Amino acid sequence: MFHKNNYRCVYRVLLIVAINFFSIFNSPLMAAEPFKTITLGLNLLTNSNRNTFHQYWEPIYGIEAIGEVPFYLGSLEGGLFLFSFNGKSIDYPEFFSLYLFAGWGIKINFGSDLSWYNGLRIGTYQMRFDDNQIHPTQAVESELGAGIGSRFDLPILERLQLHLGIDYLIVFTQKKLEFVVLKAGISYTVDSPGWLKDFLK
Amino acid sequence: MKTANPYRIIWIMFLLFIPLNSIAGEDNLKYTLNREDFENAALIRISELFSLIGEWDVYSVEGYTWQGTANAFDSYQQQNWTIIVDGQKMALKMFDLQNLNLIPLSADHIDSIEIFIFPQLVDTEYSDKGLIHIHTRKMPDGLNLHGQFTAGNKTGDPGPYRYTEYWSRNVDRIAADHSYGLAYSGNRGYLSGGYYTQVYYPTDSRIADRNRDIYPYENPRIITNSFFVQTAAPQIISQPQMSILHTKLEDFYFFKPFGREIPVTNNFTSIQINGKIVLKRSFDIGYKLRLTSNNLAKRKNRYNLDFDWKQQNIYANIDTRFVLNQQKINLGLAVDRTKIETRYNLTTNIINSIILYGSTAFKSDVWHGFKLNGAIDIDKEDIGYQLSGSAKWHLSEQQNLLNILSYSRTKVRSENSLWYWSEKGYDFVKDYGLGYSIDGKLKAGEQWSIDLIWQWYSTDITSINAGISYRSFINKNLELQPFQYNADDKTVASPVYIKTGQAGQGGLAFFKFRSDFFNSLSHSFYYRYSTYLDGSDVFTDIWESISKHRFMYQLIFKPVNTFSIWVMFNYRSSVFWSDYAAINNQSDGTYSAKLSDVFITDIAVNKWFWQKQIKVNFVLRNIFDQKDISYPIGSLQNLRFYAQAELFFNF
């Protein structure tokens, strides 16, 4: 009854959920105070996989902006990433994509330094095609995007961390788009102001 | 062909009643979805409430308008269930359609929903086909402002593949809704108003060609604009409550006799007042007055089709409730006048009815309880009558046995069917070249039902209900329409054969479980098996369109009161729509009369912010992207998602 692709997607999601549940019982984050801090991060992205889509388009480097707060269990994140793709011939116009997402994940701390974050993301993946032949409203399309991700965080200063991670993203177009994205960047953690904690709670 | 023997059923009813000479408290004959239930499920639109009710089987052609049947009391052909808002019946039914989208309330205006799945008198309305009672949300004291904004999308857009050999059709949005409300509540009274707009594109690839053929001017879309005003003055002796409701629905009405959607503008207006005068603690007199107009008017379309149909209804009611020797007694009288306005010359365009109804409920330590309901509906052509009784037996502290017995005879006029009015001169079907024939004279349908239910409560938080039910139908008027497919405009067509005097019997068995594991986790399970037992060929063929097996499992995780995750698993077994038996071959497999079984999983994540003044929902329906089609030539309801924000401020 299930489509083969959906099985594959479900297995991947279940795998990450299983890892997260394992993490829960090994993580001090269960006791974290929700919304106590905000971590703001910036990552550079590169699309590393190749599939049918890449026969037509070549990915350019992307950028990701992300905010993360501790939740009652694990942490919540929200953000966006931007990517653009060049067509490999004039038949395939260049397009720019914006993925607005929300996510949840669990971080496992290895001692006081290195930590490993695993999470799920879901959001809307907007594509803007550089095509003068069609009506401007048709040049923009939005579709559901969902994925899983994993990253290592290494503190380099008291509140500054270095990231290295990998994301897997599915965009639920008729023929699905699948991206494996490698990322590296930095993030900075600040204490949440009281009004923001009240708002988020 | 076997038919039910009424005398045998009366005898069975009598035998069952003797040992159970006791009675059901009213609460045993209904259940309630409270605000938290559909907040957790992130109900997007009012018509989606069916998705939370296991006893209701539903289908939709385009995914916006849902038609249903409750607890095996009917097939899908007659939508004779009842919908009430704050004690007032909504006269939505027009021909074979009862469209919940005409109710001018968005989901954020609802406080609770009572579901009645057995024949009984509810407030002042007797229903033998199931009844839904919606209670609107009463805001806290002070000035209240609220708004709700929803965006929804179906997956399956072509994306960049539109430029490649993997091209596919674009998929339009399924929600661009917004609603607003303003309410003032104080000691002396209550005033509330609201407005909403909903937009839905009936352009799924399976139905888009039909709709673009008949509506080639722009991308087809359904637009609903509604408003309501409510006021109440509880300090006045008669405790009046008044409402004005209006909806303008620019719709694509799937008109089965034509085998396609017809663009229409449906205007629904209701002005209603009700209240009660409490004379003594044990005696009060209630009153209701309601003026309703339901108009199916023309919306621009290529074939110039115009229903030109306006139903105006005046309903007045007086109702007494009193307690006499430990018996609760309710007696009422209603006058109902319906006037039809159309360009066609009808032999009758005004129908006046008088309805007498009553109920009595008796409770004592010995007998546990007993309730009897009845109603008589009289007009100059015919008489309809309904009778039901329910009894409850306390088997132990934790167990009850309930039985509900009913009989009803429904006037042809009460069904408000297209064929009744066609016989009266409404020649819309004939005018546009489609034929129909009625096999004899339309008959008043009769229905017998018996339900036996066992209830078990281990604690306040765990309950089990299980039961079996029997239904017998006599003199049903059923439609037979062996459709032929037209590949040019993707429509189907056939003359309609109305077979009168059809009879049959059906039954169901169900099991229901609900438990709250911990404060933060609760779940419920519902399974039902439903089938016909006997009947004419037309009867049994039509019943094949209802799933025999149905189950729902719902899990709610709410670790804190500002965050919840809701998951629903929903299964329905395969069905066969006999009218479409030829369509598989004729459409080269695009459409099929047999719709496969389907297992749907929905997820909703809700988070409140700012002391519950802002709520954000993210909803995924059919997350495993199963082939969910509920009507042979209807749309595919594949993976879709909604994002919704709700604001609520109290000053």
Side-chain angles (χ1 to χ4, degrees), chain A residues 1 10 53 56-57 92 131 138 141-144 172-175 199-201, chain B residues 155-157 159-163 165 168 562 607 609-610 620 624 626 639 641:
Chain A
M1 202 156 51
V10 170
F53 166 80
Y56 307 98
W57 283 274
Y92 313 119
D131 183 354
Q138 293 178 326
E141 242 183 55
S142 285
E143 193 51 274
L144 177 69
F172 288 85
T173 44
Q174 180 67 30
K175 180 173 174 55
F199 177 84
L200 293 172
K201 280 180 179 174
Chain B
T155 59
D157 274 329
Y161 287 113
R162 69 206 279 185
Y163 297 101
E165 70 265 36
S168 62
T562 57
K607 175 77 183 90
F609 298 97
W610 200 9
L620 290 166
F624 295 117
Q626 297 301 284
L639 171 61
F641 64 103

mmCIF file of all heavy atoms in Angstrom, chain A residues 1 10 53 56-57 92 131 138 141-144 172-175 199-201, chain B residues 155-157 159-163 165 168 562 607 609-610 620 624 626 639 641:
data_model
loop_
_atom_site.group_PDB
_atom_site.id
_atom_site.type_symbol
_atom_site.label_atom_id
_atom_site.label_comp_id
_atom_site.label_asym_id
_atom_site.label_seq_id
_atom_site.Cartn_x
_atom_site.Cartn_y
_atom_site.Cartn_z
ATOM 1 N N MET A 1 0.831 -1.192 0.000
ATOM 2 C CA MET A 1 0.000 0.000 0.000
ATOM 3 C C MET A 1 0.880 1.263 0.000
ATOM 4 O O MET A 1 0.499 2.298 -0.502
ATOM 5 C CB MET A 1 -0.898 -0.036 1.232
ATOM 6 C CG MET A 1 -2.112 0.791 1.091
ATOM 7 S SD MET A 1 -3.458 0.250 2.158
ATOM 8 C CE MET A 1 -2.722 0.128 3.741
ATOM 9 N N VAL A 10 10.137 7.115 5.421
ATOM 10 C CA VAL A 10 9.664 6.765 6.766
ATOM 11 C C VAL A 10 10.756 6.063 7.552
ATOM 12 O O VAL A 10 10.994 6.352 8.718
ATOM 13 C CB VAL A 10 8.402 5.884 6.665
ATOM 14 C CG1 VAL A 10 8.042 5.302 8.024
ATOM 15 C CG2 VAL A 10 7.243 6.696 6.123
ATOM 16 N N PHE A 53 17.420 15.121 -10.550
ATOM 17 C CA PHE A 53 17.324 16.583 -10.549
ATOM 18 C C PHE A 53 18.636 17.219 -11.022
ATOM 19 O O PHE A 53 18.644 18.188 -11.777
ATOM 20 C CB PHE A 53 16.974 17.055 -9.130
ATOM 21 C CG PHE A 53 17.154 18.508 -8.894
ATOM 22 C CD1 PHE A 53 16.198 19.420 -9.315
ATOM 23 C CD2 PHE A 53 18.293 18.989 -8.243
ATOM 24 C CE1 PHE A 53 16.371 20.775 -9.095
ATOM 25 C CE2 PHE A 53 18.460 20.337 -8.030
ATOM 26 C CZ PHE A 53 17.499 21.232 -8.457
ATOM 27 N N TYR A 56 19.711 18.214 -14.562
ATOM 28 C CA TYR A 56 19.197 19.451 -15.174
ATOM 29 C C TYR A 56 19.722 20.713 -14.506
ATOM 30 O O TYR A 56 19.781 21.756 -15.117
ATOM 31 C CB TYR A 56 17.666 19.477 -15.101
ATOM 32 C CG TYR A 56 17.008 18.242 -15.675
ATOM 33 C CD1 TYR A 56 16.590 17.206 -14.854
ATOM 34 C CD2 TYR A 56 16.838 18.112 -17.053
ATOM 35 C CE1 TYR A 56 16.005 16.067 -15.362
ATOM 36 C CE2 TYR A 56 16.258 16.980 -17.582
ATOM 37 C CZ TYR A 56 15.839 15.959 -16.732
ATOM 38 O OH TYR A 56 15.265 14.834 -17.251
ATOM 39 N N TRP A 57 20.020 20.624 -13.219
ATOM 40 C CA TRP A 57 20.446 21.823 -12.484
ATOM 41 C C TRP A 57 21.712 21.562 -11.680
ATOM 42 O O TRP A 57 21.919 20.444 -11.167
ATOM 43 C CB TRP A 57 19.344 22.286 -11.518
ATOM 44 C CG TRP A 57 18.229 23.002 -12.222
ATOM 45 C CD1 TRP A 57 18.174 24.324 -12.530
ATOM 46 C CD2 TRP A 57 17.015 22.435 -12.710
ATOM 47 N NE1 TRP A 57 17.005 24.627 -13.189
ATOM 48 C CE2 TRP A 57 16.268 23.478 -13.310
ATOM 49 C CE3 TRP A 57 16.471 21.160 -12.721
ATOM 50 C CZ2 TRP A 57 15.025 23.275 -13.892
ATOM 51 C CZ3 TRP A 57 15.236 20.955 -13.300
ATOM 52 C CH2 TRP A 57 14.531 22.000 -13.883
ATOM 53 N N TYR A 92 16.406 24.987 -18.949
ATOM 54 C CA TYR A 92 16.176 24.825 -17.509
ATOM 55 C C TYR A 92 16.604 26.099 -16.801
ATOM 56 O O TYR A 92 17.802 26.307 -16.551
ATOM 57 C CB TYR A 92 16.974 23.616 -16.978
ATOM 58 C CG TYR A 92 16.808 22.402 -17.867
ATOM 59 C CD1 TYR A 92 17.906 21.832 -18.499
ATOM 60 C CD2 TYR A 92 15.544 21.877 -18.109
ATOM 61 C CE1 TYR A 92 17.751 20.740 -19.331
ATOM 62 C CE2 TYR A 92 15.381 20.791 -18.941
ATOM 63 C CZ TYR A 92 16.489 20.226 -19.566
ATOM 64 O OH TYR A 92 16.336 19.167 -20.396
ATOM 65 N N ASP A 131 12.149 32.958 -15.044
ATOM 66 C CA ASP A 131 11.527 32.599 -16.324
ATOM 67 C C ASP A 131 10.606 33.731 -16.755
ATOM 68 O O ASP A 131 9.537 33.923 -16.164
ATOM 69 C CB ASP A 131 10.746 31.294 -16.151
ATOM 70 C CG ASP A 131 10.131 30.816 -17.451
ATOM 71 O OD1 ASP A 131 10.206 31.550 -18.458
ATOM 72 O OD2 ASP A 131 9.570 29.705 -17.458
ATOM 73 N N GLN A 138 3.056 32.527 -11.531
ATOM 74 C CA GLN A 138 3.378 31.117 -11.803
ATOM 75 C C GLN A 138 4.868 30.831 -11.650
ATOM 76 O O GLN A 138 5.286 29.677 -11.660
ATOM 77 C CB GLN A 138 2.929 30.755 -13.210
ATOM 78 C CG GLN A 138 1.418 30.786 -13.363
ATOM 79 C CD GLN A 138 0.995 30.482 -14.782
ATOM 80 O OE1 GLN A 138 1.686 30.844 -15.733
ATOM 81 N NE2 GLN A 138 -0.140 29.830 -14.917
ATOM 82 N N GLU A 141 6.620 28.818 -6.697
ATOM 83 C CA GLU A 141 5.914 27.623 -6.250
ATOM 84 C C GLU A 141 6.349 27.300 -4.831
ATOM 85 O O GLU A 141 7.530 27.452 -4.509
ATOM 86 C CB GLU A 141 6.303 26.444 -7.144
ATOM 87 C CG GLU A 141 5.156 25.862 -7.908
ATOM 88 C CD GLU A 141 5.596 24.659 -8.724
ATOM 89 O OE1 GLU A 141 6.164 23.729 -8.147
ATOM 90 O OE2 GLU A 141 5.348 24.681 -9.944
ATOM 91 N N SER A 142 5.399 26.873 -4.008
ATOM 92 C CA SER A 142 5.753 26.460 -2.653
ATOM 93 C C SER A 142 5.370 25.004 -2.461
ATOM 94 O O SER A 142 4.347 24.559 -2.975
ATOM 95 C CB SER A 142 4.980 27.280 -1.616
ATOM 96 O OG SER A 142 5.514 28.559 -1.529
ATOM 97 N N GLU A 143 6.163 24.307 -1.722
ATOM 98 C CA GLU A 143 5.872 22.894 -1.492
ATOM 99 C C GLU A 143 6.353 22.494 -0.097
ATOM 100 O O GLU A 143 7.231 23.135 0.480
ATOM 101 C CB GLU A 143 6.563 22.051 -2.581
ATOM 102 C CG GLU A 143 6.121 20.634 -2.657
ATOM 103 C CD GLU A 143 4.591 20.481 -2.741
ATOM 104 O OE1 GLU A 143 3.974 20.456 -1.664
ATOM 105 O OE2 GLU A 143 4.059 20.376 -3.852
ATOM 106 N N LEU A 144 5.758 21.454 0.416
ATOM 107 C CA LEU A 144 6.144 20.946 1.730
ATOM 108 C C LEU A 144 7.555 20.356 1.672
ATOM 109 O O LEU A 144 7.881 19.608 0.749
ATOM 110 C CB LEU A 144 5.147 19.859 2.158
ATOM 111 C CG LEU A 144 5.426 19.153 3.480
ATOM 112 C CD1 LEU A 144 5.213 20.092 4.657
ATOM 113 C CD2 LEU A 144 4.528 17.930 3.627
ATOM 114 N N PHE A 172 8.275 17.634 -1.314
ATOM 115 C CA PHE A 172 7.214 16.730 -1.768
ATOM 116 C C PHE A 172 6.563 17.200 -3.067
ATOM 117 O O PHE A 172 5.352 17.353 -3.161
ATOM 118 C CB PHE A 172 6.174 16.530 -0.658
ATOM 119 C CG PHE A 172 6.692 15.692 0.466
ATOM 120 C CD1 PHE A 172 7.426 16.273 1.490
ATOM 121 C CD2 PHE A 172 6.499 14.326 0.492
ATOM 122 C CE1 PHE A 172 7.935 15.507 2.526
ATOM 123 C CE2 PHE A 172 7.007 13.551 1.520
ATOM 124 C CZ PHE A 172 7.731 14.139 2.545
ATOM 125 N N THR A 173 7.377 17.452 -4.061
ATOM 126 C CA THR A 173 6.852 17.716 -5.403
ATOM 127 C C THR A 173 6.380 16.385 -5.995
ATOM 128 O O THR A 173 6.607 15.319 -5.413
ATOM 129 C CB THR A 173 7.957 18.322 -6.280
ATOM 130 O OG1 THR A 173 9.166 17.606 -6.065
ATOM 131 C CG2 THR A 173 8.177 19.794 -5.945
ATOM 132 N N GLN A 174 5.719 16.467 -7.158
ATOM 133 C CA GLN A 174 5.190 15.242 -7.764
ATOM 134 C C GLN A 174 6.292 14.201 -7.910
ATOM 135 O O GLN A 174 6.140 13.056 -7.505
ATOM 136 C CB GLN A 174 4.568 15.585 -9.130
ATOM 137 C CG GLN A 174 3.971 14.425 -9.877
ATOM 138 C CD GLN A 174 2.748 13.862 -9.176
ATOM 139 O OE1 GLN A 174 2.039 14.584 -8.510
ATOM 140 N NE2 GLN A 174 2.518 12.565 -9.310
ATOM 141 N N LYS A 175 7.399 14.600 -8.515
ATOM 142 C CA LYS A 175 8.607 13.766 -8.459
ATOM 143 C C LYS A 175 9.485 14.419 -7.401
ATOM 144 O O LYS A 175 9.890 15.575 -7.560
ATOM 145 C CB LYS A 175 9.298 13.751 -9.826
ATOM 146 C CG LYS A 175 10.541 12.913 -9.855
ATOM 147 C CD LYS A 175 11.078 12.803 -11.268
ATOM 148 C CE LYS A 175 12.421 12.085 -11.298
ATOM 149 N NZ LYS A 175 12.421 10.756 -10.671
ATOM 150 N N PHE A 199 6.784 35.131 26.587
ATOM 151 C CA PHE A 199 6.062 35.002 25.314
ATOM 152 C C PHE A 199 6.086 33.554 24.821
ATOM 153 O O PHE A 199 5.059 32.991 24.445
ATOM 154 C CB PHE A 199 6.702 35.923 24.273
ATOM 155 C CG PHE A 199 6.068 35.815 22.916
ATOM 156 C CD1 PHE A 199 4.928 36.545 22.609
ATOM 157 C CD2 PHE A 199 6.582 34.970 21.945
ATOM 158 C CE1 PHE A 199 4.328 36.428 21.372
ATOM 159 C CE2 PHE A 199 5.989 34.846 20.700
ATOM 160 C CZ PHE A 199 4.858 35.587 20.416
ATOM 161 N N LEU A 200 7.244 32.958 24.870
ATOM 162 C CA LEU A 200 7.377 31.599 24.318
ATOM 163 C C LEU A 200 6.692 30.550 25.179
ATOM 164 O O LEU A 200 6.240 29.525 24.677
ATOM 165 C CB LEU A 200 8.857 31.250 24.151
ATOM 166 C CG LEU A 200 9.608 32.070 23.099
ATOM 167 C CD1 LEU A 200 11.099 31.778 23.158
ATOM 168 C CD2 LEU A 200 9.069 31.776 21.703
ATOM 169 N N LYS A 201 6.614 30.794 26.476
ATOM 170 C CA LYS A 201 5.957 29.819 27.349
ATOM 171 C C LYS A 201 4.460 29.867 27.173
ATOM 172 O O LYS A 201 3.737 28.974 27.518
ATOM 173 C CB LYS A 201 6.326 30.074 28.801
ATOM 174 C CG LYS A 201 7.704 29.514 29.152
ATOM 175 C CD LYS A 201 8.045 29.778 30.604
ATOM 176 C CE LYS A 201 9.412 29.195 30.930
ATOM 177 N NZ LYS A 201 9.837 29.547 32.289
ATOM 178 N N THR B 155 0.371 18.609 -1.512
ATOM 179 C CA THR B 155 1.666 18.352 -2.131
ATOM 180 C C THR B 155 1.461 17.816 -3.548
ATOM 181 O O THR B 155 0.354 17.460 -3.942
ATOM 182 C CB THR B 155 2.462 17.325 -1.314
ATOM 183 O OG1 THR B 155 1.693 16.124 -1.247
ATOM 184 C CG2 THR B 155 2.740 17.837 0.088
ATOM 185 N N GLY B 156 2.547 17.781 -4.306
ATOM 186 C CA GLY B 156 2.472 17.224 -5.657
ATOM 187 C C GLY B 156 2.643 18.246 -6.755
ATOM 188 O O GLY B 156 2.338 17.975 -7.920
ATOM 189 N N ASP B 157 3.143 19.438 -6.399
ATOM 190 C CA ASP B 157 3.468 20.412 -7.446
ATOM 191 C C ASP B 157 4.587 19.858 -8.332
ATOM 192 O O ASP B 157 5.375 19.023 -7.884
ATOM 193 C CB ASP B 157 3.944 21.722 -6.798
ATOM 194 C CG ASP B 157 2.781 22.634 -6.448
ATOM 195 O OD1 ASP B 157 1.766 22.584 -7.162
ATOM 196 O OD2 ASP B 157 2.892 23.382 -5.461
ATOM 197 N N GLY B 159 7.221 21.519 -9.320
ATOM 198 C CA GLY B 159 8.532 22.050 -8.946
ATOM 199 C C GLY B 159 9.349 22.320 -10.193
ATOM 200 O O GLY B 159 8.803 22.577 -11.275
ATOM 201 N N PRO B 160 10.675 22.221 -10.110
ATOM 202 C CA PRO B 160 11.505 22.500 -11.290
ATOM 203 C C PRO B 160 11.308 21.477 -12.412
ATOM 204 O O PRO B 160 11.628 21.761 -13.577
ATOM 205 C CB PRO B 160 12.934 22.430 -10.733
ATOM 206 C CG PRO B 160 12.824 21.725 -9.422
ATOM 207 C CD PRO B 160 11.459 21.982 -8.906
ATOM 208 N N TYR B 161 10.727 20.324 -12.072
ATOM 209 C CA TYR B 161 10.517 19.306 -13.109
ATOM 210 C C TYR B 161 9.506 19.749 -14.161
ATOM 211 O O TYR B 161 9.323 19.067 -15.164
ATOM 212 C CB TYR B 161 10.078 17.984 -12.478
ATOM 213 C CG TYR B 161 11.191 17.266 -11.747
ATOM 214 C CD1 TYR B 161 11.157 17.109 -10.371
ATOM 215 C CD2 TYR B 161 12.273 16.754 -12.448
ATOM 216 C CE1 TYR B 161 12.175 16.453 -9.703
ATOM 217 C CE2 TYR B 161 13.298 16.099 -11.786
ATOM 218 C CZ TYR B 161 13.247 15.954 -10.419
ATOM 219 O OH TYR B 161 14.267 15.304 -9.765
ATOM 220 N N ARG B 162 8.834 20.874 -13.903
ATOM 221 C CA ARG B 162 7.907 21.390 -14.919
ATOM 222 C C ARG B 162 8.632 21.665 -16.232
ATOM 223 O O ARG B 162 8.019 21.742 -17.289
ATOM 224 C CB ARG B 162 7.230 22.664 -14.407
ATOM 225 C CG ARG B 162 8.172 23.831 -14.297
ATOM 226 C CD ARG B 162 7.739 24.857 -13.275
ATOM 227 N NE ARG B 162 6.734 25.776 -13.766
ATOM 228 C CZ ARG B 162 6.274 26.809 -13.071
ATOM 229 N NH1 ARG B 162 6.721 27.039 -11.854
ATOM 230 N NH2 ARG B 162 5.377 27.608 -13.565
ATOM 231 N N TYR B 163 9.947 21.874 -16.178
ATOM 232 C CA TYR B 163 10.728 22.176 -17.386
ATOM 233 C C TYR B 163 11.329 20.926 -18.001
ATOM 234 O O TYR B 163 12.135 21.019 -18.918
ATOM 235 C CB TYR B 163 11.847 23.163 -17.038
ATOM 236 C CG TYR B 163 11.315 24.503 -16.552
ATOM 237 C CD1 TYR B 163 11.277 24.809 -15.196
ATOM 238 C CD2 TYR B 163 10.829 25.446 -17.461
ATOM 239 C CE1 TYR B 163 10.774 26.030 -14.748
ATOM 240 C CE2 TYR B 163 10.324 26.664 -17.021
ATOM 241 C CZ TYR B 163 10.295 26.948 -15.670
ATOM 242 O OH TYR B 163 9.790 28.147 -15.231
ATOM 243 N N GLU B 165 10.943 16.384 -18.849
ATOM 244 C CA GLU B 165 9.966 15.397 -19.323
ATOM 245 C C GLU B 165 9.119 14.851 -18.166
ATOM 246 O O GLU B 165 8.172 14.102 -18.378
ATOM 247 C CB GLU B 165 10.672 14.240 -20.048
ATOM 248 C CG GLU B 165 11.491 13.317 -19.166
ATOM 249 C CD GLU B 165 12.957 13.708 -19.138
ATOM 250 O OE1 GLU B 165 13.249 14.918 -19.165
ATOM 251 O OE2 GLU B 165 13.805 12.791 -19.097
ATOM 252 N N SER B 168 4.300 17.804 -14.674
ATOM 253 C CA SER B 168 2.971 17.447 -14.176
ATOM 254 C C SER B 168 2.213 18.739 -13.935
ATOM 255 O O SER B 168 2.782 19.833 -13.955
ATOM 256 C CB SER B 168 3.063 16.615 -12.887
ATOM 257 O OG SER B 168 3.690 17.369 -11.871
ATOM 258 N N THR B 562 0.626 24.231 27.142
ATOM 259 C CA THR B 562 0.804 25.126 25.986
ATOM 260 C C THR B 562 1.398 24.399 24.780
ATOM 261 O O THR B 562 1.847 25.039 23.837
ATOM 262 C CB THR B 562 1.731 26.297 26.346
ATOM 263 O OG1 THR B 562 2.973 25.762 26.807
ATOM 264 C CG2 THR B 562 1.113 27.188 27.403
ATOM 265 N N LYS B 607 1.194 24.797 19.401
ATOM 266 C CA LYS B 607 1.959 25.508 20.438
ATOM 267 C C LYS B 607 1.293 26.857 20.708
ATOM 268 O O LYS B 607 0.951 27.589 19.783
ATOM 269 C CB LYS B 607 3.405 25.720 19.947
ATOM 270 C CG LYS B 607 4.270 26.548 20.897
ATOM 271 C CD LYS B 607 4.740 25.743 22.093
ATOM 272 C CE LYS B 607 5.556 26.612 23.068
ATOM 273 N NZ LYS B 607 4.739 27.268 24.086
ATOM 274 N N PHE B 609 1.457 30.593 22.683
ATOM 275 C CA PHE B 609 2.448 31.563 23.131
ATOM 276 C C PHE B 609 1.739 32.674 23.911
ATOM 277 O O PHE B 609 0.520 32.854 23.805
ATOM 278 C CB PHE B 609 3.160 32.204 21.920
ATOM 279 C CG PHE B 609 3.916 31.218 21.068
ATOM 280 C CD1 PHE B 609 3.350 30.682 19.912
ATOM 281 C CD2 PHE B 609 5.195 30.809 21.424
ATOM 282 C CE1 PHE B 609 4.041 29.778 19.130
ATOM 283 C CE2 PHE B 609 5.891 29.898 20.643
ATOM 284 C CZ PHE B 609 5.319 29.396 19.508
ATOM 285 N N TRP B 610 2.546 33.427 24.630
ATOM 286 C CA TRP B 610 2.099 34.653 25.281
ATOM 287 C C TRP B 610 0.841 34.416 26.118
ATOM 288 O O TRP B 610 -0.196 34.968 25.869
ATOM 289 C CB TRP B 610 1.833 35.734 24.200
ATOM 290 C CG TRP B 610 1.825 37.122 24.724
ATOM 291 C CD1 TRP B 610 2.183 37.559 25.949
ATOM 292 C CD2 TRP B 610 1.398 38.273 23.985
ATOM 293 N NE1 TRP B 610 2.028 38.907 26.033
ATOM 294 C CE2 TRP B 610 1.533 39.383 24.836
ATOM 295 C CE3 TRP B 610 0.923 38.474 22.690
ATOM 296 C CZ2 TRP B 610 1.211 40.666 24.438
ATOM 297 C CZ3 TRP B 610 0.604 39.755 22.297
ATOM 298 C CH2 TRP B 610 0.745 40.832 23.150
ATOM 299 N N LEU B 620 -0.419 18.039 9.380
ATOM 300 C CA LEU B 620 -0.134 17.218 8.203
ATOM 301 C C LEU B 620 -1.247 16.180 8.090
ATOM 302 O O LEU B 620 -1.539 15.469 9.048
ATOM 303 C CB LEU B 620 1.196 16.487 8.364
ATOM 304 C CG LEU B 620 2.443 17.351 8.311
ATOM 305 C CD1 LEU B 620 3.633 16.574 8.826
ATOM 306 C CD2 LEU B 620 2.705 17.798 6.885
ATOM 307 N N PHE B 624 1.578 9.594 4.974
ATOM 308 C CA PHE B 624 2.231 8.570 4.158
ATOM 309 C C PHE B 624 1.752 8.608 2.710
ATOM 310 O O PHE B 624 1.989 7.691 1.939
ATOM 311 C CB PHE B 624 2.029 7.180 4.773
ATOM 312 C CG PHE B 624 2.692 7.047 6.110
ATOM 313 C CD1 PHE B 624 1.956 6.814 7.250
ATOM 314 C CD2 PHE B 624 4.063 7.192 6.226
ATOM 315 C CE1 PHE B 624 2.580 6.702 8.490
ATOM 316 C CE2 PHE B 624 4.693 7.092 7.456
ATOM 317 C CZ PHE B 624 3.948 6.852 8.597
ATOM 318 N N GLN B 626 -1.018 8.245 1.094
ATOM 319 C CA GLN B 626 -1.802 7.121 0.576
ATOM 320 C C GLN B 626 -2.832 7.596 -0.453
ATOM 321 O O GLN B 626 -3.202 8.772 -0.491
ATOM 322 C CB GLN B 626 -2.520 6.420 1.728
ATOM 323 C CG GLN B 626 -1.571 5.804 2.734
ATOM 324 C CD GLN B 626 -0.667 4.793 2.073
ATOM 325 O OE1 GLN B 626 -1.097 3.691 1.772
ATOM 326 N NE2 GLN B 626 0.570 5.146 1.803
ATOM 327 N N LEU B 639 -1.091 13.721 0.508
ATOM 328 C CA LEU B 639 -0.411 14.456 1.581
ATOM 329 C C LEU B 639 -0.649 15.959 1.422
ATOM 330 O O LEU B 639 -0.442 16.529 0.355
ATOM 331 C CB LEU B 639 1.092 14.150 1.504
ATOM 332 C CG LEU B 639 2.011 14.965 2.403
ATOM 333 C CD1 LEU B 639 1.684 14.755 3.871
ATOM 334 C CD2 LEU B 639 3.471 14.591 2.139
ATOM 335 N N PHE B 641 -0.753 19.876 3.841
ATOM 336 C CA PHE B 641 -0.328 20.479 5.107
ATOM 337 C C PHE B 641 -0.946 21.853 5.288
ATOM 338 O O PHE B 641 -1.259 22.543 4.319
ATOM 339 C CB PHE B 641 1.199 20.555 5.189
ATOM 340 C CG PHE B 641 1.841 21.444 4.151
ATOM 341 C CD1 PHE B 641 2.307 22.699 4.486
ATOM 342 C CD2 PHE B 641 1.998 21.011 2.848
ATOM 343 C CE1 PHE B 641 2.898 23.520 3.536
ATOM 344 C CE2 PHE B 641 2.588 21.819 1.896
ATOM 345 C CZ PHE B 641 3.041 23.074 2.237
#
